[in-house]
Amino acid sequence: MTTSTTPTPTPVARRMFDLTEPICLVNFFSEEPNEEMAALGFSNYWDGYFAGRSAPLGRVPAEVVDAAFYNFGPGEVARHVPSVWETTTPDDAHAARQRGCVAALRRILGELVDTPGLARAADLLTGAATSAPVSGRAMYAALRSLPLPEEPVARLWHAANLLREHRGDGHIAALVVEQVDRTECHVLLAIDAGILPAESFGRIHQLPKPYLASVMARLRDRGLVDDAGLFTDAGRATKDRIESMTDALAEAPYSSLDAADLAELIACLEPIADRLKETGSQ
C-alpha cells in the first residue's frame, strides 16, 4: 500500500517575498540608483549603499548601523559611517535612493507603469506595509517614520522596501535565537545555495582569511558544518529553522488583508515581478 503526502503550503510571507524582492533589487543591480548617489558626491558604491540604506536611522554612530544591518564583517560599517554624512544629509540620501530606484523601475517596467494593476498593487502593498507593529524592528520603524510617496511607482518601491526591512529585522531575530553571527549567516546561505567553498561567497570573500577560517572552525565545532564544508544534519536543521522563523515573523503585515485583497495583490504583483526577474532588475 502506498501513502500520499499533502504538499506543505507556501507561507504567505514567503510568496510575498518572492513577489516584492525583485522590486527592491533594482537598488543593487541597476545603474540609476548608483548615478543618483554619485550625483550627491559619492565616488564608490559602498558609501552610497550605507548612506542610502541607513538614512532613515539618521546620523547615528556606526555601532547602531552595524547592529541594525547585522551581517557586515567587523569594521566594515565603520569605514563608511558616519563619514558619509560629511558628503550629504540623511534626507537627501534617502531621496536620492528613492529617485534612482523609481527611475530604474519605470525604465524596466515600461508599459506596466501606467496600468491600473500597478497602482492597485501600490495601494494594497502600502496598506500591508504600514500595518505591522514596529516593536523590536529598528529598520522597519525607521522607514515607517518617513512620509509615504504619492506617485504609484514610488509608493510601490517604498512599500516593498518597508516589507524588506520588516522581514530583515525578523531574520536577524531568528539568527540571534539560533546564535548564528554576522558572518556565519553568510556561510550558511552560501552552503544552502551550493556555493563551495562557502568562503568564496561574494559577500564575505574579501574578509581576512584568518577570520574566515575562525568562522568555519566555529561552525564545525558546533556540528553545523562538516570537514568538507557541507551541512551536517544539525546544520541543515538549523538553516531550515531560521528560514521558517523568518517567514513566521514576516507574516504580520499581510494579516491586514482579507483573502480577496491578498489574492488581488498577488495577481497585480505577478506581472511586475515577472518583468523584473526577466531583466534581472538590470
Side-chain angles (χ1 to χ4, degrees):
M1 182 176 68
T2 60
T3 59
S4 61
T5 57
T6 302
T8 303
T10 301
V12 170
R14 174 65 60 170
R15 176 65 177 132
M16 292 305 301
F17 174 74
D18 291 339
L19 292 171
T20 58
E21 182 70 351
I23 298 169
C24 299
L25 290 181
V26 297
N27 184 68
F28 309 105
F29 298 117
S30 301
E31 284 304 313
E32 289 90 341
N34 293 333
E35 291 167 356
E36 288 288 349
M37 301 313 288
L40 293 179
F42 293 118
S43 59
N44 67 81
Y45 171 82
W46 287 109
D47 277 345
Y49 170 87
F50 280 104
R53 187 179 169 209
S54 73
L57 295 170
R59 294 175 180 266
V60 297
E63 292 83 356
V64 175
V65 177
D66 192 43
F69 286 11
Y70 190 78
N71 60 350
F72 283 87
E76 283 191 293
V77 174
R79 287 198 286 273
H80 306 276
V81 178
S83 62
V84 293
W85 305 130
E86 297 171 8
T87 299
T88 192
T89 66
D91 285 347
D92 285 347
H94 176 76
R97 187 187 196 213
Q98 179 172 290
R99 282 196 306 273
C101 290
V102 170
L105 286 171
R106 294 187 71 86
R107 171 178 57 80
I108 296 167
L109 294 177
E111 77 283 356
L112 294 176
V113 164
D114 296 318
T115 60
L118 187 140
R120 182 60 172 156
D123 289 342
L124 287 170
L125 202 64
T126 297
T130 56
S131 69
V134 299
S135 302
R137 298 179 186 267
M139 287 302 303
Y140 175 65
L143 273 176
R144 279 279 299 273
S145 72
L146 302 180
L148 291 173
E150 294 184 4
E151 193 274 324
V153 180
R155 281 172 67 82
L156 182 73
W157 174 79
H158 186 70
N161 197 34
L162 274 166
L163 291 165
R164 189 174 202 264
E165 295 292 11
H166 179 276
R167 183 182 181 88
D169 287 335
H171 186 58
I172 291 170
L175 292 169
V176 171
V177 167
E178 292 291 339
Q179 300 182 57
V180 172
D181 76 12
R182 63 171 73 216
T183 308
E184 293 168 346
C185 65
H186 289 300
V187 172
L188 299 187
L189 176 62
I191 296 171
D192 189 47
I195 300 171
L196 299 173
E199 300 96 310
S200 68
F201 181 40
R203 281 288 292 109
I204 60 174
H205 78 279
Q206 82 287 354
L207 298 175
K209 293 188 185 305
Y211 171 72
L212 289 176
S214 71
V215 170
M216 297 303 294
R218 286 198 305 271
L219 291 171
R220 286 193 297 270
D221 289 345
R222 290 177 59 188
L224 302 183
V225 173
D226 64 20
D227 290 340
L230 300 172
F231 280 139
T232 61
D233 289 345
R236 177 76 268 171
T238 296
K239 176 63 173 170
D240 289 346
R241 285 196 303 272
I242 289 168
E243 295 306 315
S244 293
M245 188 181 299
T246 299
D247 284 336
L249 292 174
E251 289 284 333
Y254 309 109
S255 64
S256 66
L257 300 173
D258 61 30
D261 282 345
L262 179 61
E264 183 182 7
L265 175 58
I266 290 172
C268 289
L269 284 174
E270 282 176 338
I272 295 169
D274 287 345
R275 175 69 61 83
L276 292 166
K277 290 174 183 177
E278 286 170 6
T279 62
S281 297
Q282 295 294 317

